[in-house]
Amino acid sequence: MKKVQFKSKYTQYIFLAPTLIIISIFLYLPIVQTFRDAFTTQDAFGFGRFFAGWDNFKFVLSDPSYLVALKFTFIYIFVITVISCSLGLLLAVQANKVIHGKSAYKTLLIWPYAIAPAVVGVTAQYFFSERFGILYALFNSLWGFDWTANIFDAYIYLFIAGSWKQISANFIFFLAGLQTIQKSVIEASLIDCRSSLRRFWTITFPLLMPTTFFLVIINITYGFFDTFGIIDTTTIGAPSGETKTLVYKAYIDGFRGLDLGAAGAQSIIMMLLVLIITIIQFRYIERRIHYN
Amino acid sequence: MSFINLKNVVKVYPDGTQAIFNSSLSIEKGELVVFVGPSGCGKSTLLRMIAGLEDVTDGEIDLDGNRINEIDPSERDIAMVFQNYALYPHMSVYNNIAYGLRSRGIKKLEIEAQVTNVSELLQIGDLLSKKPGQLSGGQRQRVAMGRAIARDPKVFLFDEPLSNLDAKLRVQVRLEIKKLQRKMGTTSIFVTHDQTEAMTLGDRLVVMNKGVMEQVGTPMEIYYHPKTKFVAEFIGTPSMNFITGSIKDKTFKASSFAIPAKYEDKDDVILGVRPEDISITKATTGVKCKVELIEKLGSSTVIYCVDMKENQLCVSTQSRASVEVGDTIHISTNNKALHFFDRETSKALTK
């Protein structure tokens, strides 16, 4: 291959500049600011900034409402990941079997993936509105559903709103994963094993593990960070702060409560949590996965 | 009654393409039958229909006296070796072999004994804990065989299992498969596009072309008495020579020569002669040709030449003929080794 060389050794930096500038302004600078916020306190009028050491962290971790948000975040992540992965997988396996109108199924199932979280939230509102929501009416007639008063009902509202879009995302990846499995391997298993359920758990599912692993990480990250739009357009933390995730609480405390120190500390704690979870996943789970 | 019976089997795909035309075949117990033909001839489709991986559009397939058209592949008591081996990549060799036994609810101790047995037979005992990804092509091939043998099925189905091996290994594995099949006496069907493989392996060959069984017979029957021009051309290397002409008064007349032929008068006839049935004569009585290309293979020499009327001819001789490109030679043939085909139907002429 021919090597392209520029006369000036600085030319390369011009090409790198746009990316570097954007990343610096929107990624690195905010990180630096977050660390500065987390270790300082500002006076209420924004005139002064004092070094606060670990005070912000101590405050956040001793705040009962932070522990509530932490608990909800983990429940939320767990439920959303389980629901959306299993439904996504189920749909992918079924869509993969379809012979006629395969692309129509695919397109329809992929659609929700293209919707922004805030729009997902607004859509969910229509289903769960007290006045005209279909699901609200249905659940209400079954067990007196009222998400504004009952924590469990508010959970259901968010679980449905949150997993709907993720099912589509998982569906695409599982479908792609299914198509990478060699056809003859599936055929060999058809000859070896009668039960389709057993075939699925012994052949298909293990061969999908790389996809599943990837999706679990993606879903956990989604559960951590991408929920802001959905919560802000649906429960807004109702009944009384029980359905706030860590991200949402950081936003509320920082931009509504104007406690930037606490918000910064929360962000850093969250970053550490994600770091730990990811390390655990890669160290202990990934080893058991077979990659082709 | 035969062990495997195909009765008027037809395969039409949902999009309307017909892969198999009305095909019937009987296979005896313990026989090794080879389906051979060019790619796209339907040989794999037919095998997959017997395996149950493709539906049978019409007709019937019987195994050991029972109709198996609707029976699930796993219940047919067949085992298949795939072209790319289709080993389960996430399982150890042991589990690959044991999988079919386990899902049939066989006891653990029995499975262990069976796997040990098979691995000794195929000399893969030291590979049992490895995964397919760590094995060479030849080793994978053995494991795939092991997986098939372990269940002791009624029928082995081989779908071009040697085509992913290098040439030398292919010959070696071919011999092993033949020996193993003799030893176990299991009825087998082997699919290949390689006519040498077909000739050396098969008790009988089924030569297929465009979804039709052109001829069924022992390798020698097919070699010496091809029923169609396609079979004559496909079996044997180098390929048979064909020269068009006509038969009149018990003589075949081509543009550049005439040869006795004890057939009825017919206008459009194709004469077929195998390259090894043509010899170079010292006398000038034979057909005069000009040498265009020579291939020296050591054991034989293949001479491509063209006669005075531009008919292409290929001659294969054992002798170390001192012929050079551009030489003029005279060739003749043994009159018993001639094949005549109807040009329209491509079928061999009958006396």
Side-chain angles (χ1 to χ4, degrees):
Chain A
M1 211 168 76
K2 207 180 158 190
K3 225 174 171 181
V4 180
Q5 284 216 314
F6 295 111
K7 282 195 186 118
S8 160
K9 62 178 177 177
Y10 298 109
T11 319
Q12 51 189 323
Y13 296 108
I14 297 172
F15 287 106
L16 283 173
T19 313
L20 284 177
I21 290 169
I22 290 173
I23 290 180
S24 305
I25 294 176
F26 293 103
L27 193 69
Y28 295 133
L29 188 63
I31 290 176
V32 173
Q33 283 176 336
T34 305
F35 272 90
R36 189 194 59 196
D37 289 345
F39 290 99
T40 54
T41 48
Q42 266 180 305
D43 74 49
F45 303 100
F47 290 129
R49 192 183 276 282
F50 316 100
F51 182 71
W54 295 98
D55 282 355
N56 286 324
F57 291 89
K58 282 178 197 153
F59 169 76
V60 165
L61 290 173
S62 61
D63 176 6
S65 72
Y66 185 75
L67 298 178
V68 169
L70 188 68
K71 189 182 116 197
F72 174 68
T73 307
F74 280 105
I75 294 174
Y76 182 82
I77 288 170
F78 180 76
V79 174
I80 297 278
T81 305
V82 169
I83 292 180
S84 62
C85 277
S86 49
L87 284 180
L89 178 59
L90 182 72
L91 290 171
V93 169
Q94 297 304 324
N96 201 35
K97 283 187 204 160
V98 172
I99 296 166
H100 299 289
K102 198 172 190 163
S103 56
Y105 276 101
K106 262 192 257 174
T107 313
L108 289 175
L109 284 165
I110 290 168
W111 254 346
Y113 186 41
I115 301 171
V119 182
V120 171
V122 173
T123 314
Q125 260 184 44
Y126 284 102
F127 286 95
F128 286 95
S129 149
E130 204 175 329
R131 277 174 295 158
F132 46 81
I134 302 176
L135 288 177
Y136 185 94
L138 175 71
F139 294 160
N140 194 270
S141 67
L142 290 176
W143 70 86
F145 178 87
D146 180 13
W147 59 264
T148 52
N150 189 322
I151 299 172
F152 181 71
D153 292 347
Y155 279 6
I156 290 179
Y157 183 9
L158 274 179
F159 291 157
I160 292 177
S163 39
W164 179 56
K165 172 185 150 76
Q166 268 325 87
I167 292 172
S168 280
N170 294 337
F171 166 78
I172 307 173
F173 285 104
F174 276 126
L175 193 67
L178 282 172
Q179 279 159 4
T180 62
I181 300 178
Q182 264 185 24
K183 213 178 137 218
S184 59
V185 169
I186 298 296
E187 286 174 344
S189 73
L190 277 172
I191 291 173
D192 270 346
C193 179
R194 161 129 220 188
S195 151
S196 61
L197 205 65
R198 194 188 153 92
R199 274 202 309 270
F200 178 79
W201 289 116
T202 51
I203 306 290
T204 315
F205 191 68
L207 291 178
L208 274 180
M209 276 318 277
T211 312
T212 312
F213 176 67
F214 166 76
L215 285 178
V216 166
I217 293 178
I218 292 289
N219 281 300
I220 287 176
T221 319
Y222 164 83
F224 258 115
F225 299 111
D226 251 9
T227 49
F228 172 78
I230 290 181
I231 293 175
D232 201 45
T233 46
T234 54
T235 64
I236 322 180
S240 48
E242 289 87 348
T243 54
K244 276 183 197 161
T245 56
L246 293 177
V247 168
Y248 192 69
K249 188 170 160 52
Y251 163 78
I252 294 290
D253 290 354
F255 294 102
R256 296 280 169 79
L258 291 179
D259 187 352
L260 291 177
Q266 287 180 30
S267 304
I268 287 166
I269 293 170
M270 201 154 55
M271 190 187 81
L272 291 174
L273 282 174
V274 174
L275 199 67
I276 291 165
I277 291 172
T278 312
I279 289 171
I280 291 173
Q281 283 171 324
F282 274 96
R283 287 291 293 272
Y284 298 101
I285 303 174
E286 204 202 12
R287 278 189 197 168
R288 298 165 183 272
I289 294 177
H290 170 82
Y291 287 97
N292 283 327
Chain B
M1 205 186 145
S2 323
F3 197 60
I4 302 174
N5 246 318
L6 308 185
K7 294 179 198 160
N8 307 322
V9 171
V10 171
K11 173 75 191 180
V12 182
Y13 281 108
D15 65 359
T17 49
Q18 185 154 7
I20 304 287
F21 293 83
N22 204 333
S23 296
S24 297
L25 178 70
S26 300
I27 298 172
E28 301 301 326
K29 193 162 182 163
E31 225 183 343
L32 200 169
V33 171
V34 178
F35 293 174
V36 63
S39 54
C41 72
K43 54 190 191 299
S44 280
T45 310
L46 200 58
L47 188 82
R48 290 163 58 81
M49 283 159 90
I50 297 169
L53 299 173
E54 299 277 356
D55 292 330
V56 180
T57 312
D58 199 16
E60 188 175 307
I61 300 177
D62 293 348
L63 172 61
D64 204 5
N66 303 311
R67 178 186 161 98
I68 56 167
N69 283 29
E70 290 80 21
I71 292 179
D72 192 87
S74 62
E75 310 278 298
R76 292 186 180 198
D77 207 1
I78 47 118
M80 188 153 164
V81 178
F82 291 82
Q83 182 173 2
N84 56 9
Y85 320 128
L87 298 176
Y88 308 126
H90 59 296
M91 292 185 189
S92 65
V93 168
Y94 182 96
N95 287 333
N96 260 286
I97 299 174
Y99 182 71
L101 299 167
R102 267 191 208 132
S103 51
R104 280 174 176 75
I106 291 168
K107 288 199 191 81
K108 209 176 167 188
L109 279 175
E110 242 175 278
I111 293 176
E112 226 174 273
Q114 188 67 0
V115 175
T116 316
N117 234 340
V118 168
S119 60
E120 271 170 23
L121 184 69
L122 293 168
Q123 296 157 12
I124 48 172
D126 49 338
L127 305 178
L128 288 178
S129 58
K130 290 193 174 163
K131 294 226 172 130
Q134 298 165 281
L135 306 181
S136 69
Q139 290 172 327
R140 281 183 215 183
Q141 218 282 336
R142 278 162 186 278
V143 176
M145 293 277 295
R147 191 168 64 178
I149 292 171
R151 285 198 354 248
D152 195 15
K154 282 183 187 158
V155 184
F156 288 141
L157 304 174
F158 297 92
D159 190 4
E160 308 212 17
L162 306 181
S163 52
N164 282 353
L165 300 177
D166 62 63
K168 205 172 170 187
L169 202 56
R170 203 177 303 164
V171 175
Q172 190 189 328
V173 176
R174 191 171 79 199
L175 287 169
E176 277 175 33
I177 290 181
K178 179 98 174 167
K179 272 189 213 157
L180 207 62
Q181 198 268 342
R182 285 269 175 283
K183 196 167 161 189
M184 301 183 66
T186 310
T187 314
S188 307
I189 303 177
F190 193 103
V191 161
T192 179
H193 60 266
D194 182 320
Q195 51 103 12
T196 317
E197 230 168 84
M199 297 283 281
T200 51
L201 270 174
D203 293 323
R204 279 197 298 154
L205 310 189
V206 177
V207 184
M208 297 189 64
N209 182 31
K210 295 176 182 165
V212 175
M213 293 183 176
E214 295 257 342
Q215 188 171 358
V216 181
T218 64
M220 290 305 109
E221 269 170 31
I222 286 183
Y223 188 78
Y224 288 115
H225 306 288
K227 281 185 180 162
T228 65
K229 182 173 169 257
F230 173 80
V231 174
E233 193 173 7
F234 190 75
I235 300 291
T237 40
S239 210
M240 192 185 265
N241 294 297
F242 294 104
I243 299 137
T244 53
S246 60
I247 295 177
K248 208 173 180 189
D249 302 331
K250 306 285 176 204
T251 307
F252 173 82
K253 278 185 185 142
S255 50
S256 57
F257 62 93
I259 265 180
K262 291 173 183 164
Y263 295 90
E264 309 239 322
D265 289 3
K266 191 157 180 50
D267 272 348
D268 284 330
V269 177
I270 296 173
L271 165 69
V273 195
R274 293 206 182 275
E276 55 269 36
D277 291 327
I278 302 178
S279 49
I280 302 171
T281 55
K282 285 188 177 141
T284 50
T285 48
V287 180
K288 197 176 161 192
C289 294
K290 202 175 166 207
V291 177
E292 289 198 317
L293 194 73
I294 298 175
E295 284 175 354
K296 287 181 178 162
L297 302 175
S299 61
S300 65
T301 302
V302 181
I303 302 164
Y304 294 89
C305 49
V306 60
D307 72 6
M308 294 305 119
K309 297 285 182 190
E310 297 294 313
N311 291 312
Q312 298 283 336
L313 286 165
C314 172
V315 180
S316 172
T317 94
Q318 301 286 323
S319 62
R320 296 182 186 176
S322 54
V323 178
E324 298 295 330
V325 174
D327 284 2
T328 303
I329 54 170
H330 292 268
I331 55 170
S332 70
T333 177
N334 175 3
N335 288 353
K336 281 178 189 159
L338 303 180
H339 306 270
F340 293 97
F341 303 97
D342 183 326
R343 198 175 164 193
E344 247 171 79
T345 61
S346 289
K347 289 204 170 120
L349 296 185
T350 46
K351 283 179 187 174

